[in-house]
Amino acid sequence: MTIKVQCPCGAKYSFDVEPVDGRMPFAVKCPTCNTDGTELANQAIAAQPRGQNLRVAAASPAPEEEIAPILRPKPISVTTVEKLRVQRRKSQHATWLGWGVAVCILAIFGGWLWYVFFGTKPRLEYSLNIPGPETSWKAGFLNEGTILLVNPAHATAHQLGNDKNLWNTPMAADAPSDGSGPQPRTFTDSNSVWICSGNKVLWLNAASGQIKQTIPVSGELKSFTPTTSNILVVSSTSDTNRVALQIDLATGQSTTREIVVPRSEKHEMPNELPPNVQPTAGVLLSQAMDEKKFSKPLDAMSSEFFSAGDNLVELRVKLLEPKVTYIKSIKSHLDGNTTASSSMADVEEDVFNDIKRDQTGGVKAIDESLYEVKLRRWTGETPIEWTAPVRGVPMFFPMKTVDLLVAGPSLTVFDKQNKKLFEAKLSYPINDRFAPDRWDRHSAPAVETNGNLYFFDKGVLTAFALPGGDIKWRATSVGVTNIIGDGAGALYIGTTTAAPEDIQYSDQLTFQNAHPLVLKVDAASGKILWEAENVGQQCYLTGKYLYTSMVTKGGMAITKGLADALNAPEPDAPSYLHIRRLDPLNGKVLWDFYRKEAPDEFSFDQNRFLIRYSDRVQVWKFLDY
């Protein structure tokens, strides 16, 4: 209601009020003389009916004049005050929450920056100086967080997490304490460690290092080949006797077969191999060419042994007819026509290639000899034999469910019972690093996955459907080094940017060499999903991590070119190691680990990698979510 009051001083004023129990809820004063008018207002409230405007007058009247309004705040109830307090607390909480969110965002952003620029980069987790000759050591991952160090004196499993040896097992009582001696051959699986020291094979428990079994090796060790199910150890007891020892990885049971490799008696010739040295197909050809000059009979044989799953396979090769074809391997860019537009690099290349052509003739030899191949496969007590003539050096590669026989530009595929499944003509021969005198007995020019065989020669990658051999797709790629299946329908391929003509002109000296290239390919269609150039010579896949490696030698190109042209040793120059991690989704480099030193060996295990140099072993690790 509106209350009007007239002060004794004669001033009039009015205000709105809600009485509380019929009285003023607050004090009022005259705006002119500041006299308390609360009681006059209470009297006006009591005298007037509810809902009417009230007028309060003093005893002495005063002249009529305008009543000035009083601008005072409305009364604030207890409920209103409490609401204001609640709103204030909510405002404070919102402020505190905002600051907390801001601090969290800054912390997350700072952590992300640290993770991207530091956490994901490799850091040194473990380092050990190793004594003795570097060739006597082997190092690798035993399982997650444990590495295995082996030399002729002892085998040690070292845990990286607590930096302690899990176990240390002596290898031989008479071995030198510094670990010098022949390098042991090792193979590990989830539960066992197998070590071949030359005259015996030791089977160790991977968890404790306890020697579970010692298996003697007769004669001179020739090869030690592990597979997924067994280990094949081949030794020689004489120039014609071979001992094939097969050890089952699950049980440790061993089977020994003595096999006679026939070699005919011949008169000795200049530069002939000693009788206890088994020749390769290339050596047979070289001897045959010499024998042909002297009109001597071509009667010699070579023999190699392979572990093909549960089978033992002997590849017996006899030279029937020697034939060598020479092709041009060096071409000229300028052909003597130097012009003002000819670059200095072209002129230098031409000069060096002319020098090299004078040294080698500018040609290379292609072995197109006729060989008799006999595949002898032991699935029982007696071998199953398959015999046929082939053109070119025969090479055998055991795979998971099939085995491959490659000779020149031909591929023959067998099942594990020695049955021929199919034959295919290749565009080119396979890489020279698979030749019998260069092959490491572990790699192969193919990978078997997804029910297909992916085979590569020097210039073409072909997908064959198994077991029939239907061609699903072909892709031109020169210089393929390895193929890895990811188990999810894709292939990672280490290859190069070389052109097909580089296959023929392999001796050509050029300052603009082809670059290494990594491809991700759809295994079903052959479609290239992405490619990454100049990031590595080989690729590796462990878990979800994709790595590449590249080892290069420094020095001036012109100096190296001159050494190559003169067939002289390259000048001393530092070697460089690059290990890169790639994103499997797009092939982008996530980090580049660089060292100015080439290692003797390295291996990968999830987010760790091991490097062994001549005098030390290092393990590097990076963080990942």
Side-chain angles (χ1 to χ4, degrees):
M1 62 176 61
T2 301
I3 303 276
K4 296 182 179 180
V5 178
Q6 183 174 357
C7 183
C9 71
K12 296 178 182 180
Y13 56 95
S14 65
F15 53 87
D16 294 330
V17 69
E18 279 295 329
V20 177
D21 296 331
R23 297 183 65 81
M24 287 291 295
F26 53 84
V28 294
K29 293 182 180 181
C30 174
T32 303
C33 65
N34 204 30
T35 299
D36 190 332
T38 306
E39 189 57 34
L40 292 175
N42 287 334
Q43 292 173 8
I45 292 173
Q48 295 296 325
R50 184 176 181 83
Q52 294 183 3
N53 292 340
L54 301 182
R55 178 186 296 274
V56 180
S60 54
E64 290 288 339
E65 63 181 37
E66 287 294 325
I67 301 175
I70 299 176
L71 302 177
R72 300 184 65 85
K74 290 184 178 182
I76 303 176
S77 65
V78 177
T79 304
T80 305
V81 173
E82 185 62 28
K83 288 181 179 180
L84 291 174
R85 291 175 179 171
V86 171
Q87 291 177 354
R88 182 178 181 184
R89 285 197 297 268
K90 288 183 177 180
S91 177
Q92 289 176 341
H93 292 166
T95 303
W96 295 339
L97 181 61
W99 278 108
V101 170
V103 171
C104 290
I105 292 175
L106 288 175
I108 293 173
F109 182 69
W112 178 80
L113 288 177
W114 177 88
Y115 174 77
V116 169
F117 291 100
F118 300 99
T120 58
K121 303 301 186 293
R123 59 179 178 83
L124 184 62
E125 183 181 21
Y126 172 77
S127 181
L128 173 69
N129 293 328
I130 53 178
E134 63 273 12
T135 56
S136 65
W137 282 86
K138 292 290 290 184
F141 287 102
L142 179 59
N143 50 50
E144 185 176 359
T146 305
I147 62 173
L148 178 67
L149 304 172
V150 180
N151 67 15
H154 57 265
T156 303
H158 185 87
Q159 288 184 312
L160 299 172
N162 55 21
D163 199 21
K164 293 182 179 179
N165 288 338
L166 181 64
W167 48 260
N168 187 22
T169 302
M171 295 287 295
D174 56 349
S177 59
D178 64 353
S180 60
Q183 187 181 62
R185 323 278 182 94
T186 64
F187 175 72
T188 63
D189 56 26
S190 57
N191 300 314
S192 302
V193 176
W194 300 86
I195 304 175
C196 180
S197 59
N199 59 356
K200 63 181 180 295
V201 177
L202 299 179
W203 180 18
L204 279 65
N205 184 298
S208 64
Q210 177 186 3
I211 298 178
K212 301 174 64 174
Q213 190 174 349
T214 300
I215 305 169
V217 176
S218 302
E220 181 184 356
L221 179 67
K222 292 297 183 182
S223 65
F224 175 85
T225 309
T227 67
T228 56
S229 60
N230 61 69
I231 295 175
L232 173 64
V233 181
V234 177
S235 58
S236 172
T237 56
S238 70
D239 58 337
T240 58
N241 283 18
R242 299 292 180 270
V243 178
L245 172 67
Q246 275 187 300
I247 306 171
D248 186 270
L249 294 178
T251 64
Q253 293 181 348
S254 59
T255 303
T256 302
R257 290 186 175 89
E258 292 194 17
I259 303 170
V260 176
V261 180
R263 294 188 68 190
S264 56
E265 294 290 334
K266 300 190 305 178
H267 296 290
E268 291 189 4
M269 296 182 60
N271 302 321
E272 190 166 18
L273 291 173
N276 63 336
V277 175
Q278 185 66 18
T280 64
V283 174
L284 292 180
L285 175 63
S286 178
Q287 290 182 346
M289 298 301 288
D290 287 339
E291 291 171 351
K292 194 173 182 180
K293 296 177 184 178
F294 294 95
S295 300
K296 300 191 70 175
L298 306 177
D299 192 6
M301 198 170 289
S302 72
S303 187
E304 291 183 89
F305 294 87
F306 303 87
S307 180
D310 295 332
N311 304 158
L312 170 66
V313 176
E314 177 191 3
L315 175 65
R316 188 171 289 185
V317 179
K318 182 178 180 180
L319 178 63
L320 300 179
E321 176 188 325
K323 180 181 178 181
V324 179
T325 302
Y326 293 92
I327 64 172
K328 185 178 180 181
S329 61
I330 299 176
K331 67 176 181 178
S332 174
H333 284 300
L334 304 178
D335 291 326
N337 299 319
T338 304
T339 66
S341 62
S342 301
S343 69
M344 181 61 69
D346 287 340
V347 174
E348 291 172 347
E349 286 181 12
D350 240 35
V351 171
F352 288 162
N353 281 311
D354 285 342
I355 296 174
K356 191 172 184 178
R357 192 180 292 107
D358 291 338
Q359 296 283 328
T360 65
V363 296
K364 64 180 177 181
I366 305 297
D367 186 354
E368 296 182 347
S369 302
L370 184 64
Y371 294 92
E372 179 189 74
V373 171
K374 183 175 290 187
L375 282 183
R376 308 179 74 220
R377 185 186 302 265
W378 279 266
T379 59
E381 293 299 322
T382 57
I384 303 172
E385 294 191 355
W386 179 89
T387 304
V390 297
R391 283 282 177 186
V393 177
M395 291 164 279
F396 184 83
F397 302 96
M399 308 300 291
K400 185 167 56 177
T401 66
V402 297
D403 297 327
L404 314 179
L405 175 66
V406 182
S410 68
L411 166 68
T412 308
V413 180
F414 299 84
D415 66 9
K416 295 299 181 178
Q417 301 299 315
N418 235 29
K419 177 185 176 182
K420 178 180 173 181
L421 297 178
F422 65 89
E423 185 175 356
K425 291 297 181 183
L426 305 176
S427 302
Y428 302 94
I430 61 175
N431 195 289
D432 296 337
R433 66 187 178 91
F434 295 111
D437 56 340
R438 301 183 188 179
W439 185 42
D440 59 8
R441 301 189 69 87
H442 299 292
S443 58
V447 64
E448 183 185 347
T449 184
N450 303 322
N452 299 317
L453 177 71
Y454 300 93
F455 185 91
F456 59 91
D457 54 31
K458 288 184 177 181
V460 176
L461 170 61
T462 306
F464 296 99
L466 294 177
D470 294 335
I471 297 177
K472 303 188 70 173
W473 51 264
R474 292 183 188 271
T476 300
S477 185
V478 178
V480 174
T481 55
N482 72 320
I483 302 175
I484 301 174
D486 68 351
L491 303 174
Y492 296 102
I493 302 171
T495 182
T496 72
T497 59
E501 71 168 9
D502 295 330
I503 297 174
Q504 175 181 348
Y505 299 108
S506 58
D507 295 333
Q508 182 78 17
L509 193 155
T510 176
F511 296 150
Q512 301 295 327
N513 294 322
H515 296 154
L517 183 70
V518 176
L519 304 175
K520 184 176 183 180
V521 174
D522 181 77
S525 64
K527 177 183 177 182
I528 297 177
L529 304 177
W530 55 253
E531 59 183 52
E533 185 175 338
N534 212 26
V535 297
Q537 297 160 331
Q538 280 204 314
C539 49
Y540 311 84
L541 187 66
T542 167
K544 65 177 182 179
Y545 302 100
L546 177 63
Y547 301 94
T548 64
S549 67
M550 183 163 60
V551 178
T552 57
K553 191 171 184 180
M556 297 180 60
I558 188 170
T559 306
K560 293 192 292 184
L562 181 59
D564 187 11
L566 296 174
N567 197 24
E570 284 192 12
D572 290 337
S575 296
Y576 302 92
L577 167 69
H578 283 273
I579 294 177
R580 296 179 174 92
R581 182 189 169 196
L582 304 187
D583 187 339
L585 296 178
N586 52 32
K588 291 185 178 179
V589 177
L590 299 177
W591 50 253
D592 182 358
F593 177 86
Y594 164 78
R595 287 295 180 274
K596 190 178 177 180
E597 184 178 7
D600 293 303
E601 62 178 337
F602 51 83
S603 57
F604 302 89
D605 180 49
Q606 299 291 333
N607 61 330
R608 287 184 172 97
F609 59 92
L610 178 148
I611 305 175
R612 180 177 68 82
Y613 296 100
S614 60
D615 58 350
R616 66 195 184 280
V617 173
Q618 294 181 342
V619 177
W620 295 79
K621 181 183 179 181
F622 60 92
L623 298 179
D624 194 35
Y625 57 88

